[in-house]
């Protein structure tokens, strides 16, 4: 059965909106970090733990939600995930202590994978390989759009009513975006049985290409999350910026990520004929240059140069994941795409869980940010090496794939 192009676009818009809501909470935290640190008297290591707590909850749920999406359907996963993150953010905003804030953010992490898992699988069913890179890029742009919106809202809301008000508003927006997914079509496609999903996990774990791609993505996510998590603090601590101005600069990081995910997806669809690896390798290599440029920014850095660095950082350090997700989905196959993506993201988010506190520890220990940024550059280089070992094969459109053509 095929569906109209308008239905495909509506579906893509809804899953992207749900991801925007989730990400306003997740990537709103870095913009909140200077305000939370000042209010609660936190060290950089404690800030790193706070930034990683959503990933703690997420880490436990990527595979279960992947199996559930393959078996139970994506629509319920998307609605439930948006509501879970939104309510948990509201709980964190009213928590009386640092420890309870951490617990509420871990609960938010339980729902956060829903956008990646459910939304990405929807895209694989509604768009063919020749349009999938762009479609996945659009859905993934919800990450950067949500981050950009949070970077613009959080400083103003925090200045007006404190970080708790800002986080509460983000949680309410997230819950509403999740409820919007009730308008998604009820897809009658057959679901994979839980047992077959478990068989798929064993097959993918044994797949060398799948393993290398997952490890490369794990190395790349270090650069993305440390840039998004620590750029405001870096500008405050080493360049004397005001917290509000530093937080607003994150909007450029996220906007760069939006444009890049669309651009790199289009290049992989149209220029390299559906081959994602050459484009992903170029993006990873470009990220090395961006990180080294951050280390050499003059002190104090001016607004124009800092804005250019933030935009390039978003383009190369936050623009890679649409390509990587597309490769994982195509490698896993359409029927069990959610299970495969869940497995890959479980490993990838181990990188975020470790990298944020480690980055903060290195800065606290060394008394400077340069050694921590150099570690990020090494991770980018490791990703390039792993991608060179990835074997990419042409993937035909699966039988029964929705193409977006009119009936």
């Amino acid at each position: 059965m095929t569906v109209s192009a308008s239905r495909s676009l509506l579906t893509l818009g809804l899953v992207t909106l749900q991801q925007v809501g989730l990400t306003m909470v997740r990537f709103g935290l870095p913009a909140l970090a200077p305000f939370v640190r000042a209010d609660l008297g936190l060290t950089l290591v404690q800030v790193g733990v706070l930034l990683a707590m959503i990933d703690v909850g997420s880490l436990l749920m990527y595979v279960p939600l992947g199996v559930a999406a393959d078996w139970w359907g994506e629509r319920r996963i998307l609605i439930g995930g948006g509501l879970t993150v939104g309510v948990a953010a509201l709980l964190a905003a009213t928590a009386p202590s640092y420890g309870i804030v951490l617990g509420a953010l871990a609960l938010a992490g339980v729902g956060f994978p829903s956008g990646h898992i459910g939304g990405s699988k929807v895209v694989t069913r509604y768009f063919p390989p020749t349009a999938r890179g762009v479609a996945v890029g659009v859905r993934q742009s919800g990450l950067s759009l949500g981050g950009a919106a949070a970077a613009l809202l959080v400083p103003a809301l925090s200045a007006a009513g404190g970080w708790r008000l800002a986080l509460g508003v983000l949680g309410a927006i997230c819950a509403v975006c999740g409820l919007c997914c009730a308008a998604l079509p009820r897809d009658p496609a057959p679901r994979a049985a839980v047992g077959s999903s478990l068989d798929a996990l064993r097959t993918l774990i044994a797949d060398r290409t799948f393993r290398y791609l997952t490890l490369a993505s794990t190395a790349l996510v270090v650069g993305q999350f440390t840039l998004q998590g620590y750029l405001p603090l870096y500008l405050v601590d080493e360049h004397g910026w005001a917290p509000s101005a530093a937080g607003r600069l994150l909007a450029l990081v996220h906007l760069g990520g939006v444009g890049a995910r669309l651009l790199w997806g289009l290049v992989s669809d149209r220029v390299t004929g559906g081959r994602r690896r050459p484009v992903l390798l170029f993006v990873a290599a470009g990220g090395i240059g961006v990180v080294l440029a951050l280390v050499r920014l003059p002190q104090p850095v001016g607004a124009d140069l800092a804005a250019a660095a933030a935009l390039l950082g978003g383009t190369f350090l936050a623009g890679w994941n649409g390509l990587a997700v597309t490769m994982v989905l195509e490698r896993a196959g359409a029927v069990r795409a959610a299970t495969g993506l869940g497995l890959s993201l479980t490993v990838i988010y181990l990188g975020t869980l470790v990298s944020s506190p480690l980055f903060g520890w290195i800065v606290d220990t060394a008394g400077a940010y340069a050694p921590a940024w150099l570690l990020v550059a090494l991770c980018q280089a490791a990703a390039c090496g792993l991608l060179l070992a990835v074997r990419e094969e042409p993937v035909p459109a699966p039988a029964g794939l929705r193409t977006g053509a009119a009936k």
Side-chain angles (χ1 to χ4, degrees), residues 127-201:
F127 293 87
T130 54
R132 192 176 296 152
V134 172
V136 171
V138 170
R139 198 214 67 80
Q140 290 289 111
S141 72
L143 291 158
S144 293
L145 287 171
L152 293 174
L153 281 175
V154 163
L157 291 171
S158 297
W163 67 268
R164 295 180 184 276
L165 171 66
L167 183 56
V169 170
L170 298 182
I173 293 172
C174 178
V176 171
C177 291
L179 286 173
C180 287
C181 287
L184 283 169
R186 295 179 181 273
D187 194 274
R191 306 298 181 191
V194 173
S196 63
S197 294
L198 297 178
D199 290 339
L201 285 174

Coordinates of all heavy atoms in Angstrom, one line a residue, residues 127-201:
F127 N 9.8 6.8 3.3 CA 10.6 7.4 2.3 C 11.6 6.3 1.8 O 12.2 5.6 2.5 CB 11.4 8.5 3.0 CG 10.5 9.7 3.3 CD1 9.9 9.7 4.6 CD2 10.3 10.7 2.5 CE1 9.1 10.8 5.0 CE2 9.5 11.8 2.8 CZ 8.9 11.8 4.1
P128 N 11.8 6.3 0.4 CA 12.7 5.4 -0.2 C 14.2 5.8 0.0 O 14.4 7.0 0.4 CB 12.3 5.5 -1.7 CG 11.8 6.9 -1.9 CD 11.1 7.2 -0.6
P129 N 15.1 4.9 -0.3 CA 16.5 5.3 -0.1 C 17.0 6.5 -0.8 O 17.8 7.2 -0.3 CB 17.3 4.0 -0.7 CG 16.3 2.9 -0.5 CD 14.9 3.5 -0.7
T130 N 16.4 6.8 -2.0 CA 16.9 8.0 -2.7 C 16.4 9.3 -2.1 O 16.9 10.4 -2.5 CB 16.3 8.0 -4.2 OG1 14.9 7.8 -4.2 CG2 17.0 6.8 -5.0
A131 N 15.5 9.3 -1.2 CA 15.0 10.5 -0.4 C 15.2 10.3 1.1 O 15.0 11.3 1.8 CB 13.6 10.7 -0.7
R132 N 15.7 9.2 1.5 CA 15.8 8.9 2.9 C 16.8 9.8 3.7 O 16.6 10.1 4.8 CB 16.1 7.4 3.1 CG 15.9 7.0 4.6 CD 16.1 5.5 4.7 NE 15.1 4.7 3.9 CZ 15.3 3.6 3.3 NH1 16.4 3.0 3.5 NH2 14.3 3.0 2.7
G133 N 18.0 10.0 3.0 CA 19.0 10.8 3.7 C 18.5 12.2 4.1 O 18.7 12.7 5.2
V134 N 17.7 12.9 3.2 CA 17.1 14.2 3.5 C 16.1 14.0 4.5 O 16.0 14.8 5.5 CB 16.6 14.8 2.2 CG1 15.8 16.1 2.6 CG2 17.7 15.2 1.3
A135 N 15.2 13.0 4.4 CA 14.1 12.8 5.3 C 14.6 12.5 6.7 O 14.1 13.1 7.7 CB 13.2 11.6 4.9
V136 N 15.6 11.7 6.9 CA 16.2 11.4 8.2 C 16.9 12.7 8.7 O 16.8 13.1 9.9 CB 17.2 10.3 8.1 CG1 18.0 10.2 9.5 CG2 16.5 9.0 7.9
G137 N 17.5 13.5 7.8 CA 18.1 14.8 8.2 C 17.1 15.7 8.7 O 17.3 16.5 9.7
V138 N 15.9 15.8 8.1 CA 14.8 16.6 8.5 C 14.4 16.2 9.9 O 14.3 17.0 10.9 CB 13.6 16.6 7.6 CG1 12.4 17.3 8.2 CG2 14.0 17.3 6.3
R139 N 14.2 14.9 10.1 CA 13.7 14.4 11.5 C 14.8 14.7 12.5 O 14.6 15.2 13.6 CB 13.4 13.0 11.4 CG 12.6 12.5 12.6 CD 12.9 11.1 13.1 NE 14.3 11.0 13.6 CZ 14.6 11.4 14.9 NH1 13.7 11.9 15.7 NH2 15.8 11.3 15.3
Q140 N 16.1 14.4 12.1 CA 17.2 14.7 13.0 C 17.4 16.2 13.3 O 17.9 16.6 14.4 CB 18.5 14.1 12.5 CG 18.5 12.6 12.4 CD 18.7 12.0 13.8 OE1 17.8 11.4 14.4 NE2 19.8 12.3 14.5
S141 N 16.9 17.0 12.4 CA 17.0 18.5 12.6 C 16.2 18.9 13.8 O 16.4 20.0 14.4 CB 16.6 19.3 11.4 OG 15.2 19.2 11.1
G142 N 15.2 18.1 14.2 CA 14.5 18.4 15.4 C 15.4 18.5 16.6 O 15.1 19.3 17.5
L143 N 16.5 17.8 16.6 CA 17.4 17.9 17.7 C 18.0 19.3 17.8 O 18.0 19.9 18.8 CB 18.6 16.9 17.5 CG 18.2 15.4 17.7 CD1 19.2 14.5 17.0 CD2 18.2 15.1 19.2
S144 N 18.4 19.8 16.6 CA 19.1 21.1 16.6 C 18.0 22.2 16.7 O 18.3 23.2 17.4 CB 19.9 21.3 15.3 OG 21.0 20.4 15.3
L145 N 16.8 22.0 16.1 CA 15.8 23.1 16.3 C 15.4 23.2 17.7 O 15.2 24.3 18.2 CB 14.6 22.7 15.4 CG 14.8 22.9 13.9 CD1 13.6 22.3 13.2 CD2 14.9 24.3 13.5
G146 N 15.2 22.1 18.4 CA 14.9 22.1 19.8 C 16.0 22.8 20.6 O 15.7 23.6 21.6
G147 N 17.2 22.4 20.3 CA 18.3 23.0 21.0 C 18.4 24.5 20.8 O 18.7 25.3 21.7
A148 N 18.2 25.0 19.6 CA 18.2 26.4 19.2 C 17.1 27.1 20.0 O 17.3 28.2 20.5 CB 18.1 26.6 17.7
A149 N 15.9 26.6 20.0 CA 14.8 27.2 20.6 C 15.0 27.3 22.1 O 14.8 28.4 22.8 CB 13.5 26.4 20.4
A150 N 15.6 26.3 22.7 CA 15.9 26.3 24.1 C 17.0 27.3 24.4 O 17.0 28.1 25.4 CB 16.4 24.9 24.6
A151 N 18.0 27.4 23.6 CA 19.1 28.4 23.8 C 18.6 29.8 23.7 O 19.2 30.7 24.4 CB 20.2 28.2 22.7
L152 N 17.5 30.1 23.0 CA 17.0 31.4 22.9 C 16.0 31.7 24.1 O 16.0 32.8 24.6 CB 16.2 31.6 21.6 CG 17.1 31.6 20.3 CD1 16.2 31.6 19.1 CD2 18.1 32.8 20.3
L153 N 15.3 30.6 24.5 CA 14.3 30.8 25.6 C 14.9 30.8 27.0 O 14.5 31.6 27.8 CB 13.2 29.7 25.5 CG 12.1 29.8 24.5 CD1 11.3 28.6 24.5 CD2 11.3 31.1 24.7
V154 N 15.9 29.9 27.2 CA 16.4 29.7 28.5 C 17.0 30.9 29.2 O 16.7 31.3 30.3 CB 17.3 28.5 28.6 CG1 18.2 28.5 29.8 CG2 16.5 27.2 28.4
P155 N 17.9 31.6 28.5 CA 18.5 32.8 29.1 C 17.5 33.8 29.6 O 17.5 34.4 30.7 CB 19.5 33.3 28.1 CG 19.8 32.1 27.2 CD 18.5 31.4 27.2
A156 N 16.5 34.1 28.7 CA 15.5 35.1 29.0 C 14.6 34.6 30.1 O 14.3 35.4 31.1 CB 14.6 35.4 27.8
L157 N 14.1 33.4 30.1 CA 13.3 32.9 31.2 C 14.0 32.8 32.5 O 13.5 33.1 33.6 CB 12.7 31.5 30.8 CG 11.7 31.5 29.6 CD1 11.4 30.0 29.2 CD2 10.4 32.2 30.1
S158 N 15.3 32.3 32.4 CA 16.1 32.2 33.7 C 16.4 33.6 34.3 O 16.4 33.7 35.5 CB 17.4 31.5 33.4 OG 17.2 30.2 32.9
A159 N 16.6 34.6 33.4 CA 16.9 35.9 33.9 C 15.6 36.5 34.6 O 15.7 37.2 35.6 CB 17.4 36.8 32.8
A160 N 14.4 36.1 34.0 CA 13.2 36.7 34.5 C 12.7 36.0 35.7 O 12.2 36.6 36.7 CB 12.1 36.6 33.4
G161 N 12.8 34.6 35.8 CA 12.2 33.9 36.9 C 13.1 32.8 37.4 O 12.6 31.9 38.2
G162 N 14.3 32.7 37.0 CA 15.2 31.6 37.5 C 15.2 30.3 36.6 O 14.3 30.2 35.8
W163 N 16.1 29.5 36.8 CA 16.3 28.3 36.0 C 15.1 27.3 36.2 O 14.8 26.6 35.2 CB 17.6 27.6 36.2 CG 17.7 27.0 37.6 CD1 18.3 27.5 38.7 CD2 17.3 25.6 38.0 NE1 18.2 26.7 39.8 CE2 17.7 25.5 39.4 CE3 16.8 24.6 37.3 CZ2 17.4 24.3 40.1 CZ3 16.5 23.4 38.0 CH2 16.9 23.3 39.4
R164 N 14.5 27.3 37.3 CA 13.4 26.4 37.6 C 12.2 26.8 36.7 O 11.5 25.9 36.1 CB 13.0 26.5 39.0 CG 14.0 25.9 40.0 CD 13.6 25.9 41.4 NE 14.7 25.5 42.3 CZ 15.0 24.3 42.6 NH1 14.2 23.3 42.1 NH2 15.9 24.0 43.4
L165 N 11.9 28.1 36.5 CA 10.8 28.5 35.6 C 11.1 28.1 34.2 O 10.3 27.5 33.5 CB 10.7 30.0 35.7 CG 9.7 30.6 34.6 CD1 8.3 30.1 34.8 CD2 9.8 32.1 34.6
A166 N 12.4 28.3 33.8 CA 12.8 27.9 32.4 C 12.6 26.5 32.2 O 12.0 26.0 31.1 CB 14.2 28.4 32.2
L167 N 13.1 25.6 33.1 CA 13.0 24.2 32.9 C 11.5 23.7 32.9 O 11.1 22.8 32.1 CB 13.7 23.4 34.0 CG 13.8 21.9 33.9 CD1 14.4 21.5 32.5 CD2 14.6 21.3 35.0
G168 N 10.7 24.3 33.8 CA 9.3 24.0 33.8 C 8.6 24.3 32.5 O 7.7 23.5 32.0
V169 N 8.9 25.5 31.9 CA 8.3 25.8 30.6 C 8.7 24.8 29.5 O 7.9 24.4 28.7 CB 8.7 27.3 30.2 CG1 8.3 27.6 28.7 CG2 8.1 28.3 31.1
L170 N 10.0 24.4 29.5 CA 10.5 23.5 28.5 C 9.7 22.1 28.7 O 9.4 21.5 27.7 CB 12.0 23.2 28.7 CG 12.9 24.4 28.4 CD1 14.4 24.0 28.6 CD2 12.7 25.1 27.1
G171 N 9.5 21.7 29.9 CA 8.8 20.5 30.1 C 7.4 20.5 29.6 O 6.9 19.5 29.0
A172 N 6.7 21.6 29.8 CA 5.3 21.8 29.3 C 5.3 21.7 27.8 O 4.4 21.1 27.2 CB 4.7 23.1 29.9
I173 N 6.2 22.4 27.2 CA 6.2 22.4 25.7 C 6.5 20.9 25.2 O 5.8 20.5 24.2 CB 7.3 23.3 25.2 CG1 7.0 24.8 25.5 CG2 7.6 23.1 23.7 CD1 8.1 25.7 25.2
C174 N 7.4 20.2 25.9 CA 7.7 18.8 25.5 C 6.4 17.9 25.5 O 6.2 17.2 24.6 CB 8.8 18.3 26.3 SG 9.2 16.6 26.0
A175 N 5.7 18.1 26.6 CA 4.5 17.3 26.8 C 3.5 17.5 25.7 O 2.9 16.6 25.1 CB 3.9 17.5 28.1
V176 N 3.3 18.8 25.3 CA 2.4 19.2 24.3 C 2.8 18.6 22.9 O 2.0 18.0 22.1 CB 2.2 20.7 24.2 CG1 1.4 21.1 22.9 CG2 1.5 21.2 25.4
C177 N 4.1 18.7 22.6 CA 4.6 18.1 21.4 C 4.4 16.6 21.3 O 4.1 16.0 20.2 CB 6.1 18.4 21.2 SG 6.5 20.2 20.9
G178 N 4.5 15.9 22.4 CA 4.3 14.5 22.5 C 2.8 14.2 22.2 O 2.5 13.2 21.4
L179 N 1.9 14.9 22.7 CA 0.5 14.7 22.5 C 0.1 14.9 21.1 O -0.8 14.3 20.6 CB -0.3 15.6 23.4 CG -0.4 15.2 24.9 CD1 -1.1 16.3 25.7 CD2 -1.1 13.9 25.1
C180 N 0.8 15.8 20.4 CA 0.5 16.0 18.9 C 0.7 14.8 18.1 O 0.0 14.6 17.0 CB 1.4 17.1 18.4 SG 1.0 18.8 19.0
C181 N 1.5 13.8 18.6 CA 1.7 12.6 17.8 C 0.5 11.7 17.8 O 0.4 10.7 17.1 CB 2.9 11.8 18.3 SG 4.5 12.6 17.9
A182 N -0.6 12.1 18.6 CA -1.8 11.3 18.5 C -2.4 11.5 17.1 O -3.3 10.7 16.7 CB -2.8 11.8 19.6
A183 N -2.0 12.5 16.4 CA -2.5 12.7 15.0 C -1.8 11.9 14.0 O -2.2 11.9 12.8 CB -2.4 14.2 14.6
L184 N -0.8 11.1 14.4 CA -0.1 10.2 13.4 C -1.1 9.2 12.9 O -1.9 8.7 13.6 CB 1.1 9.5 14.1 CG 2.3 10.4 14.3 CD1 3.3 9.6 15.2 CD2 3.0 10.7 13.0
P185 N -0.9 8.8 11.6 CA -1.7 7.7 11.1 C -1.5 6.4 11.8 O -0.4 6.1 12.3 CB -1.2 7.6 9.6 CG -0.5 8.9 9.3 CD 0.1 9.3 10.6
R186 N -2.6 5.6 11.9 CA -2.5 4.3 12.5 C -2.1 3.3 11.5 O -2.9 2.9 10.6 CB -3.8 3.9 13.1 CG -4.3 4.7 14.3 CD -5.6 4.3 14.8 NE -6.1 5.1 15.9 CZ -5.8 4.9 17.2 NH1 -5.0 3.8 17.5 NH2 -6.2 5.7 18.2
D187 N -0.8 3.0 11.5 CA -0.3 2.2 10.4 C -0.6 0.7 10.6 O -0.4 0.2 11.7 CB 1.3 2.4 10.3 CG 1.8 1.8 9.0 OD1 2.1 0.6 8.9 OD2 2.0 2.6 8.0
P188 N -1.1 0.0 9.5 CA -1.5 -1.4 9.7 C -0.4 -2.4 9.4 O -0.6 -3.5 9.3 CB -2.6 -1.5 8.6 CG -2.2 -0.6 7.5 CD -1.5 0.6 8.2
A189 N 0.8 -1.8 9.2 CA 1.9 -2.8 8.8 C 2.1 -3.8 9.9 O 2.0 -3.6 11.1 CB 3.2 -2.0 8.6
P190 N 2.5 -5.1 9.5 CA 2.8 -6.1 10.5 C 4.0 -5.8 11.3 O 4.9 -5.1 10.9 CB 3.0 -7.3 9.6 CG 3.5 -6.8 8.3 CD 2.7 -5.5 8.1
R191 N 3.9 -6.2 12.6 CA 5.0 -5.9 13.5 C 5.9 -7.2 13.7 O 5.4 -8.3 13.6 CB 4.4 -5.6 14.9 CG 3.4 -4.4 14.8 CD 4.0 -3.1 14.4 NE 3.1 -2.0 14.3 CZ 3.3 -0.9 13.7 NH1 4.5 -0.7 13.1 NH2 2.4 0.1 13.8
A192 N 7.1 -6.9 14.0 CA 8.1 -8.0 14.3 C 7.8 -8.5 15.6 O 7.5 -7.8 16.6 CB 9.5 -7.5 14.2
A193 N 7.8 -9.9 15.8 CA 7.7 -10.5 17.1 C 8.9 -10.2 17.9 O 10.0 -9.9 17.5 CB 7.5 -12.0 16.9
V194 N 8.6 -10.2 19.3 CA 9.7 -9.9 20.2 C 10.9 -10.9 20.0 O 12.1 -10.6 20.0 CB 9.2 -10.0 21.7 CG1 10.4 -9.9 22.6 CG2 8.2 -8.9 21.9
G195 N 10.5 -12.2 19.8 CA 11.6 -13.2 19.6 C 12.4 -12.9 18.4 O 13.7 -13.0 18.4
S196 N 11.8 -12.5 17.3 CA 12.6 -12.2 16.1 C 13.5 -10.9 16.3 O 14.5 -10.8 15.7 CB 11.7 -12.0 14.9 OG 10.8 -10.9 15.1
S197 N 13.0 -10.0 17.1 CA 13.8 -8.8 17.4 C 15.0 -9.2 18.2 O 16.1 -8.7 18.0 CB 13.0 -7.8 18.2 OG 11.9 -7.3 17.4
L198 N 14.9 -10.2 19.1 CA 16.1 -10.7 19.8 C 17.0 -11.4 18.9 O 18.3 -11.3 19.1 CB 15.6 -11.6 21.0 CG 14.7 -10.9 22.0 CD1 14.3 -11.9 23.1 CD2 15.5 -9.8 22.7
D199 N 16.5 -12.1 17.9 CA 17.4 -12.7 16.9 C 18.1 -11.7 16.1 O 19.3 -11.8 15.8 CB 16.6 -13.6 16.0 CG 16.0 -14.8 16.6 OD1 16.6 -15.3 17.7 OD2 15.0 -15.4 16.1
A200 N 17.4 -10.6 15.8 CA 18.1 -9.5 15.1 C 19.2 -8.9 15.9 O 20.3 -8.5 15.4 CB 17.0 -8.4 14.7
L201 N 19.0 -8.7 17.2 CA 20.1 -8.2 18.1 C 21.4 -9.1 18.0 O 22.5 -8.5 17.8 CB 19.6 -8.2 19.5 CG 18.6 -7.0 19.9 CD1 18.2 -7.2 21.3 CD2 19.3 -5.7 19.7

